Amino acid sequence: MTREVFDIVIVGAGIVGLWIAKFACDRGLKVGLVEKGRCGSGGSGGLLGALLPHTPLGMNAKKRFQFDALVELPELIGAVEEQTGHNVHYRRCGRIMPIRLQSFLDTTRKNSEAARREWQGPDQSFEIDVLDSQSFGDWIDPREAPLGLFWENLSAKVSPRDLIAALRTYVARDARLFEGFTFQDFDSQTGNIGSREGRFDISTDKLIVSAGFQSFEILQSLGLDIRGDGIKGQAALYKIPNPISKLPEDCPIILDDGTYVVPQANSLLAVGSTSERQWTSEHATEPEKFEATIKRARELCPPLRNSELAELWSGIRPRSQAKDPVVGSLCPNNRIYVATGGYKISFGIAHRLARALIDEIAAGTSEIELPETYHPQP
Ligand SMILES: Cc1cc2nc3c(=O)[nH]c(=O)nc-3n(C[C@H](O)[C@H](O)[C@H](O)COP(=O)(O)OP(=O)(O)OC[C@H]3O[C@@H](n4cnc5c(N)ncnc54)[C@H](O)[C@@H]3O)c2cc1C
């Protein structure tokens, strides 16, 4: 077997690994992407696809990074769609949250002022406002929002699986994609990579571990000191039997205390999510643990009340010690890098993390500054 040699091998084809592969290919690097299952078979293969910003009050480096990422995303997605022929169902649909407390109403008004200052994109500014609880018809039950609705127009949604499929098509043109390749070890002298399957003979100059929650275990096995774990989550898709006009794709995402309702294409509504610290199986769904979430979602969103379950899904979110994404070099000779997604916000920022990392590797510098807490902590 002839050994294949790469500039970069990325371990893990989730949303983060695929964007890294995309930018590395765009730079003309020789890229290998190894994935133990199929692309998107980890936490990125889910159903929600909510792209929600932090609120602008107390703007800081982290909030600014995420704002810039959300503003630039539609153009990047548009280019990937054009080149691959995939429709990823991106839509800037906005978000609403019911207001029940005077304190939340006051904060919303402050956020509205802060948005006027801080949410200025290059071509568009974004707003936060307090709207009447009936502004979206029966999309949200007005009894849930006695003091009105927090509304903003920066949030967006995407179909996670369609975006993964589009990026897979994009990178498969120039990168070598190894699905069914379980990374096992890396010899940092020779650059040789071992796989559990033993079927492949590859080596690389740089290794980027982007294996979601499993990144921590992999990097520890390479003798690196990095800590984090995985939090399981379940989400579901519901089909609305008689779609009312304008529903569901044009409606804003509903968020209320950890319960999300995300309008998706084809009269489907995505509902999430549970947060389960104790879990044994990554992919086993447990409907009884999802009951409280769907009950709450149906109280909030009347169109869900007559809907039927189309799919229940579970996945594991990576969670670093700082609960942020972790991106950067992990050893003095700059051969091993980490790039894991954030706990809940990865789909809105993965492309920007990826571009910062590839700029750094390929050119030694990037115009994108990663927030301090995203750097690997010793
Ligand atoms: C229920 C739920 C709802 C969510 N909702 C949202 C949302 O609405 N918006 C949002 O932005 N985020 C959301 N998230 C979070 C988001 O899905 C994750 O943060 C994101 O998918 C992490 O991406 P990743 O690329 O870092 O990891 P992953 O997608 O997990 O990718 C890692 C990949 O590495 C592979 N891998 C692991 N070990 C190896 C190995 N040894 N060899 C080769 N390959 C390996 C895995 O198979 C996997 O495909 C949600 C997560 C869950 C669970």
Side-chain angles (χ1 to χ4, degrees):
M1 193 165 29
T2 338
R3 176 167 293 276
E4 262 189 276
V5 182
F6 296 94
D7 296 322
I8 285 180
V9 165
I10 302 151
V11 181
I15 190 65
V16 178
L18 282 162
W19 277 116
I20 294 172
K22 186 240 179 240
F23 287 112
C25 289
D26 291 351
R27 284 254 184 195
L29 296 172
K30 186 161 185 223
V31 179
L33 178 57
V34 309
E35 164 56 53
K36 67 176 180 172
R38 285 167 295 100
C39 294
S41 52
S44 302
L47 307 168
L48 280 191
L51 311 173
L52 306 181
H54 297 297
T55 49
L57 253 187
M59 198 66 160
N60 58 25
K62 215 152 76 169
K63 292 185 177 197
R64 176 63 58 204
F65 179 88
Q66 194 208 32
F67 175 80
D68 292 341
L70 289 171
V71 169
E72 74 189 358
L73 186 58
E75 196 179 326
L76 276 170
I77 281 185
V80 171
E81 285 182 325
E82 202 179 303
Q83 294 193 36
T84 60
H86 287 269
N87 177 355
V88 309
H89 302 283
Y90 173 90
R91 196 172 282 227
R92 196 168 259 148
C93 54
R95 159 182 50 166
I96 51 176
M97 298 193 277
I99 305 177
R100 295 186 197 89
L101 300 174
Q102 184 61 40
S103 54
F104 185 35
L105 181 61
D106 296 343
T107 319
T108 304
R109 292 211 167 105
K110 286 185 192 151
N111 266 310
S112 176
E113 272 171 47
R116 277 194 281 277
R117 280 191 314 273
E118 308 289 358
W119 277 10
Q120 303 295 324
D123 311 312
Q124 195 185 347
S125 48
F126 299 91
E127 299 168 62
I128 294 178
D129 210 345
V130 178
L131 299 186
D132 187 87
S133 54
Q134 307 204 326
S135 303
F136 296 94
D138 79 343
W139 172 237
I140 181 163
D141 190 328
R143 289 170 301 181
E144 292 286 338
L147 300 185
L149 293 167
F150 169 112
W151 166 85
E152 49 85 1
N153 63 352
L154 173 57
S155 285
K157 59 103 196 174
V158 70
S159 157
R161 291 175 187 172
D162 289 316
L163 180 54
I164 292 287
L167 287 169
R168 183 190 184 283
T169 304
Y170 188 102
V171 304
R173 299 177 313 181
D174 297 318
R176 273 278 276 139
L177 182 55
F178 300 91
E179 288 174 305
F181 180 125
T182 310
F183 171 91
Q184 200 154 39
D185 50 57
F186 177 62
D187 181 332
S188 59
Q189 299 301 315
T190 60
N192 292 349
I193 294 177
S195 72
R196 187 172 304 156
E197 295 76 13
R199 281 186 277 127
F200 311 96
D201 205 3
I202 65 172
S203 60
T204 185
D205 182 27
K206 308 226 184 267
L207 182 77
I208 302 178
V209 178
S210 184
F213 78 101
Q214 283 149 309
S215 303
F216 306 109
E217 201 180 292
I218 290 176
L219 291 161
Q220 284 159 12
S221 78
L222 299 177
L224 297 160
D225 182 19
I226 181 166
R227 270 156 285 166
D229 56 11
I231 306 279
K232 184 166 175 171
Q234 299 190 64
L237 271 185
Y238 289 83
K239 179 96 183 155
I240 302 181
N242 299 307
I244 309 154
S245 70
K246 266 190 105 217
L247 281 183
E249 261 209 305
D250 287 336
C251 292
I253 294 166
I254 299 173
L255 174 60
D256 188 38
D257 197 21
T259 301
Y260 297 74
V261 183
V262 184
Q264 290 288 359
N266 307 318
S267 305
L268 290 166
L269 296 179
V271 175
S273 303
T274 61
S275 270
E276 301 163 31
R277 276 170 185 280
Q278 306 294 330
W279 51 273
T280 45
S281 162
E282 184 179 346
H283 294 297
T285 52
E286 294 164 279
E288 66 285 359
K289 291 194 177 160
F290 195 68
E291 270 167 25
T293 306
I294 181 58
K295 181 170 178 291
R296 186 70 200 107
R298 285 189 162 131
E299 285 163 2
L300 287 162
C301 179
L304 266 172
R305 291 178 194 160
N306 300 317
S307 61
E308 286 162 26
L309 180 69
E311 180 181 348
L312 179 62
W313 171 86
S314 78
I316 313 293
R317 310 170 178 102
R319 201 182 65 144
S320 70
Q321 239 178 356
K323 297 189 189 148
D324 280 334
V326 201
V327 182
S329 169
L330 279 172
C331 53
N333 64 2
N334 284 346
R335 264 203 116 158
I336 306 179
Y337 294 77
V338 60
T340 70
Y343 178 51
K344 283 190 172 170
I345 56 166
S346 306
F347 274 77
I349 58 169
H351 57 287
R352 201 163 170 84
L353 301 175
R355 193 150 68 85
L357 181 64
I358 289 302
D359 286 353
E360 195 61 46
I361 290 175
T365 177
S366 176
E367 60 178 30
I368 299 170
E369 206 173 320
L370 290 173
E372 200 52 44
T373 53
Y374 288 14
H375 295 289
Q377 308 297 321

